Amino acid sequence: MEEERLDPNLPMKELDLDADLQKKHQAMLDRLSNRHQARLDNSLARRSDSTNSTESTSSFLCRFSDCKKSIDSQFADARLIAQSDPSRLKSHFADISSSISDLEKLVAENSYFLPSYEVRSSLKTVSDLKQNLETLNSELIPKKKFSFRNKATTKKELPKEPEPVKSDPVSTTNFKIPDSPGFRNKTNETLVKNFKGTEIGEFTLSDLESCEVRLIGCCSVVFMNRLKDCKVYMGPVIGSILIEEVEECAFVLASHQIRIHLAKRTDFYLRVRSRPIIEDSNDVRFAPYCLDYEGIELDLEKAGLSEETGNWGNVDDFKWLRAVQSPNWCILPENERIGKVHIEDSVSRIEVFVLLISVILVKCAPELKIITLYGWITPYSIQLLWLQRWLMELAFGILSFFFYPSCECRAVCFKAIVLSFSEQFQGFVFLVPWIDQFHGFEAEAQCSMASKEETCFNFWSFFYTSQPFNGPMLKKSPSAGV
Amino acid sequence: MGLLSIIRKIKRKEKEMRILMVGLDNSGKTTIVLKINGEDTSVISPTLGFNIKTITYQKYTLNIWDVGGQRTIRSYWRNYFEQTDGLVWVVDSSDLRRLDDCKMELDNLLKEERLSGASLLILANKQDIKGALTPAEIAKVLNLEAMDKTRHWEIVGCSAYTGEGLLEGFDWLVQDIASRIYMLD
């Protein structure tokens, strides 16, 4: 019952409440709808934005690239300014950095709608620009080292600095380094040099291919560079030997120190007072020294190498600093070693002596009327002229025999003298058959008959340049008993 | 050489100098050091690593660091730069072919900040060999005149084989360092 009674009250109360609530509700609804409207508007606006996004991205990119171009041109200006007016450089750099920061701001402002790739790439560009500015700054305005100095001198320093840099290449190109004695740029030749009685300091072998080199006697230092497929036999070296870039060679060397760089597939027969070293080499093998020539004992003693030191096998590999054996070198197995190598001069002293006798014989021939063939060929008047010239050259030859240091060179002198007159001795080689023993002398004589001028040229150029003579005559010289 | 280390040296009163010997391989660094010290120079192997020699010279104690010059170990030179009072650059005057290498390595070395205060002695070694360049020619090739004006340097021709010129060079070096560091004496 009570419930029923209460019931009619309810709507009364509700009505009262309802009026309030209604108001509130209405207000709420209004607010909500307002909000909704605003939200709608907003989203519309946004949507319109987002629909335009491609357009504004491109416009952003356009603006961005414009700014970047102007900054780039500012960079270019900076270099010009640095040359013309370095004092303005600082303010110019300040301008550049402010425009870079403007650009950065532009990217930040637009980042909310830009695709992430664009944001990343433009930020990257900005950071690159900053980097450029920094490097340019350090390049054009060098940092001064802290030091105490007088104020007056500080101003002079800036323009002075580029000068030494410019003078650098000039001064180095101006200075020509003279060539040291040596054999260079040869292929397929037998190169012989005797140091006996000479004061040769350094000797160079470089750019040789398929050559055999014999150096007899002592010298101080030897440099070898870029040899390929060569055999090098060398008397003791007092100082050191430096070998670089050799391939498929065999070396027979004795020295105080030996350094081997960049060697490949090469055998070394060494006697060294210190430990030989290799660097950047592989497939190199070592064995003891095995050279012999007349008088080698004296030379070895002179270089302090008369006794075997046993160092030929104590190789240090600078590219292998471990206790275990380096894979780059090994000891040459005994059955693969070459035997004792005996070398000699291309023309030995005795041969030179015999040659001298023969020259005198031939010289006397016209007077003694032994070689009648000669008198028959040459008219008397020419004979006299020739005699004069011949005597002069003989005197020259004898002088050079005693004063020119190398035995080999002397021998070449005599050969040249004889050959240069061989024209007059057409019957000579036939009349003196024992001359055959001068290994190929005959052939050379005939050869030079055909080209006398060439021989003379070689002969004279040899004296003028005082270079070791390696002309065609030596090529035919007897090969040593290897 | 900072102010602090100068003060420290003066205070210590030990009169010690640290000298670093560098140069290309085969220039004769070890031979020079042993020759000065009066040791046998006939059986010197190429230096693998380094040698230290302490020598009493005049009234000073020289700590000479002789570092190997082979190409492989040149990169380790920088480990010895710290606190160097004197730098000795040894040149093989007879090795004309590698003078460019020599110039390049020296230029690299002189860029090093830790060596900026060190006196530089250039020894044009192997003058006993016929055909070797004179010190003046070496100076020209290495372009020493263009060096930083603040650097104290001197070039001396020498021969580690005969011993000629070595004392002259070291006299200059020690005097120069002494005048810089032990100026209160």
Side-chain angles (χ1 to χ4, degrees), chain A residues 154-373:
Chain A
T154 48
K155 267 187 187 171
K156 277 185 184 171
E157 273 206 351
L158 263 179
K160 251 189 185 177
E161 254 172 319
E163 272 174 25
V165 181
K166 270 180 198 166
S167 68
D168 205 348
V170 178
S171 62
T172 47
T173 48
N174 270 350
F175 190 82
K176 278 235 166 136
I177 296 166
D179 261 352
S180 62
F183 296 129
R184 293 181 175 82
N185 299 311
K186 298 268 192 305
T187 41
N188 282 320
E189 282 186 42
T190 302
L191 307 161
V192 186
K193 175 91 184 161
N194 193 329
F195 298 124
K196 267 182 193 155
T198 62
E199 268 279 311
I200 287 256
E202 43 166 334
F203 199 79
T204 307
L205 304 178
S206 87
D207 302 278
L208 305 182
E209 206 181 324
S210 310
C211 290
E212 186 181 318
V213 183
R214 297 180 218 143
L215 304 179
I216 295 172
C218 278
C219 70
S220 304
V221 185
V222 174
F223 300 113
M224 285 183 256
N225 190 20
R226 288 192 294 278
L227 307 190
K228 208 180 162 195
D229 188 25
C230 291
K231 290 188 170 63
V232 180
Y233 308 109
M234 202 179 284
V237 176
I238 296 166
S240 60
I241 299 177
L242 191 66
I243 301 169
E244 272 184 356
E245 291 177 64
V246 294
E247 219 180 315
E248 287 164 34
C249 295
F251 293 92
V252 182
L253 314 167
S255 172
H256 167 47
Q257 280 188 345
I258 294 176
R259 290 174 167 82
I260 299 159
H261 300 156
L262 299 156
K264 275 182 205 153
R265 294 182 294 286
T266 296
D267 292 344
F268 294 91
Y269 299 82
L270 307 178
R271 181 178 293 177
V272 214
R273 257 184 290 159
S274 58
R275 299 165 71 91
I277 72 142
I278 59 171
E279 196 174 55
D280 302 303
S281 303
N282 51 50
D283 265 339
V284 291
R285 303 186 295 180
F286 292 85
Y289 194 57
C290 57
L291 191 71
D292 187 33
Y293 59 79
E294 203 188 319
I296 193 171
E297 292 80 14
L298 276 176
D299 287 341
L300 283 170
E301 207 168 303
K302 191 173 157 194
L305 285 161
S306 46
E307 279 169 36
E308 178 57 62
T309 55
N311 270 334
W312 60 269
N314 297 331
V315 183
D316 281 331
D317 184 356
F318 274 57
K319 280 279 177 185
W320 189 264
L321 305 177
R322 293 186 217 172
V324 288
Q325 163 72 28
S326 155
N328 299 325
W329 68 276
C330 64
I331 285 173
L332 189 57
E334 246 167 87
N335 55 355
E336 284 181 50
R337 290 179 195 169
I338 51 173
K340 194 93 175 163
V341 180
H342 184 83
I343 58 169
E344 55 189 32
D345 273 341
S346 55
V347 183
S348 75
R349 216 168 265 263
I350 297 161
E351 277 175 311
V352 171
F353 185 65
V354 173
L355 204 63
L356 179 68
I357 300 270
S358 73
V359 165
I360 290 168
L361 248 175
V362 172
K363 160 70 192 76
C364 299
E367 318 295 313
L368 301 173
K369 301 267 188 271
I370 292 172
I371 305 173
T372 48
L373 195 64

Side-chain angles (χ1 to χ4, degrees), chain B residues 21-89:
Chain B
M21 304 263 301
V22 272
L24 297 194
D25 49 307
N26 197 28
S27 55
K29 297 173 290 294
T30 311
T31 313
I32 287 174
V33 175
L34 294 191
K35 191 80 187 176
I36 288 181
N37 213 17
E39 289 175 51
D40 178 26
T41 57
S42 64
V43 281
I44 298 170
S45 295
T47 309
L48 183 51
F50 63 91
N51 307 313
I52 312 171
K53 275 268 177 295
T54 305
I55 297 173
T56 313
Y57 194 87
Q58 297 168 1
K59 49 184 175 172
Y60 304 100
T61 306
L62 307 189
N63 278 326
I64 303 184
W65 293 66
D66 158 35
V67 192
Q70 299 296 326
R71 191 184 294 277
T72 320
I73 54 178
R74 279 180 216 162
S75 53
Y76 300 109
W77 285 353
R78 57 193 155 81
N79 300 340
Y80 303 91
F81 290 164
E82 216 64 64
Q83 306 222 331
T84 295
D85 301 317
L87 187 65
V88 182
W89 180 259

